[in-house]
Amino acid sequence: MALAAPDTVSIDMTARCSHLLTLSGQDGPGLAQQLFASLAAQAVEVRDVEQVRVHGRLLLCVEIDVSAPEADELSRRLEGTFADDAVEVALRPIGEHDMTTTSTRDRHLVTVLAPEIDAASLAGITARIAECGANIERIVRLAAYPVHSYELVLAGGELTALRRALATEAVARQVDIAVQAAGLHRRAKHLIVLDADSTLLQGEMIDVMAEVAGCGAEVAAITETAMRGELDFEQALRQRVRLLAGLDRAGLEVVRQSIIPTPGARTLVRTLKRLGYEVAVVSGGFTQIIAGIVHELGVDHLAANVLAIDRGALTGELEGPVLDRAGKASALVRFARTAGVPLTQTIAVGDGANDLDMLATAGLGIAFNAKPLVRDAADTAVNVPYLDAILFLLGISRDEVERADELDGVARP
């Protein structure tokens, strides 16, 4: 009895499949052109391209569709093309284990910020990311001055879990970490709303006013009572303003001259305005003190309390309703509506409990050198003394800021 011939598996060597082509080594002009010219000469389909350059070293990756014979021919062609260059060329099939099904909806951006970021910090951060089931696709250095900052692009993981895990690591490593969803929204028009006292501006303006008016100790005592929870914000503000009665225009001018922006404030506002952002300031302080500097910085919107003045001196009262915690959040909503920006594309920055509603309302709430209560409630925190470090959370590198300043003739500090 004759045995049936065993089934055979036929492999179509002419079938095209995905291959990863990598070019690595010393970078130089024309390498990418030579590579793509070789691909074009063989009519190779290019599916994806990514390039990284670090300290003169190049890694250029191209996903292509070729058959096995075409891959052999392409390898020979590329060996000849780059024979005289200090680069290596590799071509290999992409297997199923190399493929990812992660969509752009599953991508996240992690920004790390600190005066120094050492290997131990990076080890801890990347371990937490792995524990959350996310994979790091790219790491880019955003700044080495005045602080260090890296941005990590992640595929996979869940936003809340990543934020929780990395917040714990941030405390352990004493670094700032922000986690955001990736997507086109980052490039859309935005509104940023800044608190004034101890955020956009150094110090607390009512304390400066009290010193000029000669009632610093009394104002400080009321502030301390409010901090113990024995007075709400409006009660404390009105009591302190009454102590300022009689402060004249000359005294107000002394206060204005004493108020200075936080380091990096001018750079932050200037850069965001270049990018088409609208900038607002909301303050529990006073319009008469900050209006001038807000105008000088090019801020688009301002909401603050208004001091009543009669015959050139403060009456000790306020005009209109008090801009309190809820009022700051309402101002953010109002400014967003005026600017035509959805709340998901708003950013709020503040340092105190009075900013909590505003930080919660914004699409991204940033605690700036804030009290622990505020840091815990915000989406992320910045604990370095430079306000322009916020730019790194938005994916804007220090090099980009400096190049833009050079083009506009802005002198570097």
Side-chain angles (χ1 to χ4, degrees):
M1 179 177 176
L3 296 175
D7 292 337
T8 58
V9 178
S10 176
I11 300 176
D12 184 2
M13 298 297 291
T14 64
R16 291 188 168 187
C17 63
S18 292
H19 285 65
L20 181 65
L21 172 61
T22 59
L23 186 68
S24 60
Q26 188 64 40
D27 195 14
L31 293 178
Q33 184 276 329
Q34 294 178 67
L35 178 64
F36 290 114
S38 296
L39 298 180
Q42 203 168 319
V44 171
E45 179 185 352
V46 174
R47 301 186 64 180
D48 195 9
V49 180
E50 188 158 340
Q51 176 175 312
V52 177
R53 184 180 186 275
V54 181
H55 296 300
R57 302 291 294 180
L58 170 73
L59 176 62
L60 174 57
C61 301
V62 185
E63 183 184 346
I64 60 176
D65 264 359
V66 289
S67 65
E70 288 172 332
D72 291 340
E73 172 60 26
L74 181 60
S75 293
R76 286 192 293 271
R77 182 188 295 272
L78 293 175
E79 285 175 6
T81 299
F82 295 102
D84 297 329
D85 296 293
V87 296
E88 296 181 0
V89 181
L91 180 63
R92 66 173 180 83
I94 299 176
E96 289 186 5
H97 63 282
D98 297 318
M99 304 300 287
T100 177
T101 57
T102 303
S103 72
T104 55
R105 290 178 296 178
D106 300 316
R107 282 183 164 79
H108 304 95
L109 302 172
V110 173
T111 309
V112 186
L113 175 70
E116 296 289 341
I117 302 173
D118 58 17
S121 296
L122 293 172
I125 292 165
T126 53
R128 294 281 187 170
I129 290 170
E131 290 169 5
C132 290
N135 185 55
I136 301 170
E137 293 191 330
R138 185 168 67 252
I139 301 176
V140 179
R141 188 179 76 173
L142 296 176
Y145 168 84
V147 295
H148 287 76
S149 182
Y150 293 96
E151 181 177 85
L152 290 71
V153 181
L154 310 185
E158 194 273 324
L159 184 62
T160 302
L162 282 164
R163 279 181 172 166
R164 187 182 302 115
L166 290 172
T168 302
E169 195 65 27
V171 173
R173 302 293 175 180
Q174 295 187 325
V175 299
D176 297 332
I177 303 177
V179 185
Q180 306 169 62
L184 287 175
H185 68 278
R186 207 180 196 199
R187 303 173 190 165
K189 182 180 181 181
H190 280 69
L191 166 74
I192 185 167
V193 181
L194 304 162
D195 173 45
D197 288 354
S198 300
T199 300
L200 179 72
L201 308 175
Q202 295 187 58
E204 301 287 326
M205 68 183 74
I206 198 165
D207 292 340
V208 178
M209 296 174 72
E211 290 300 323
V212 174
C215 56
E218 295 92 329
V219 165
I222 296 172
T223 301
E224 180 62 28
T225 302
M227 291 181 68
R228 291 197 303 266
E230 298 173 18
L231 286 174
D232 65 21
F233 175 80
E234 181 171 350
Q235 290 174 318
L237 180 65
R238 290 190 183 278
Q239 287 189 20
R240 288 177 291 181
V241 169
R242 289 191 189 103
L243 293 171
L244 302 176
L247 186 63
D248 60 17
R249 295 189 186 278
L252 290 177
E253 185 57 31
V254 172
V255 175
R256 291 189 197 99
Q257 296 300 322
S258 302
I259 299 295
I260 57 176
T262 296
R266 297 181 188 280
T267 301
L268 174 70
V269 175
R270 180 174 67 244
T271 303
L272 293 181
K273 294 289 289 181
R274 285 192 189 115
L275 295 173
Y277 279 61
E278 293 216 10
V279 181
V281 172
V282 293
S283 174
F286 311 107
T287 300
Q288 289 94 333
I289 302 301
I290 61 175
I293 194 166
V294 161
H295 177 74
E296 177 197 342
L297 291 173
V299 171
D300 302 289
H301 311 280
L302 170 64
N305 293 301
V306 181
L307 295 162
I309 297 178
D310 184 37
R311 300 175 188 177
L314 300 187
T315 66
E317 301 296 332
L318 294 168
E319 292 184 359
V322 168
L323 187 72
D324 56 8
R325 174 171 164 171
K328 286 188 171 186
S330 296
L332 182 149
V333 173
R334 183 171 69 254
F335 293 150
R337 188 182 302 118
T338 300
V341 174
L343 287 177
T344 54
Q345 290 165 210
T346 61
I347 302 161
V349 187
D351 72 299
N354 211 29
D355 300 314
L356 284 171
D357 290 1
M358 177 178 75
L359 297 177
T361 301
L364 176 65
I366 302 173
F368 180 72
N369 291 311
K371 301 169 182 64
L373 173 69
V374 182
R375 290 201 305 268
D376 293 343
D379 295 317
T380 188
V382 171
N383 295 301
V384 296
Y386 310 105
L387 195 62
D388 54 343
I390 289 169
L391 294 171
F392 309 141
L393 302 183
L394 308 180
I396 302 164
S397 73
R398 185 73 192 180
D399 286 345
E400 290 172 314
V401 173
E402 292 179 353
R403 282 199 297 270
D405 281 346
E406 287 173 4
L407 289 173
D408 289 349
V410 177
R412 293 177 60 182

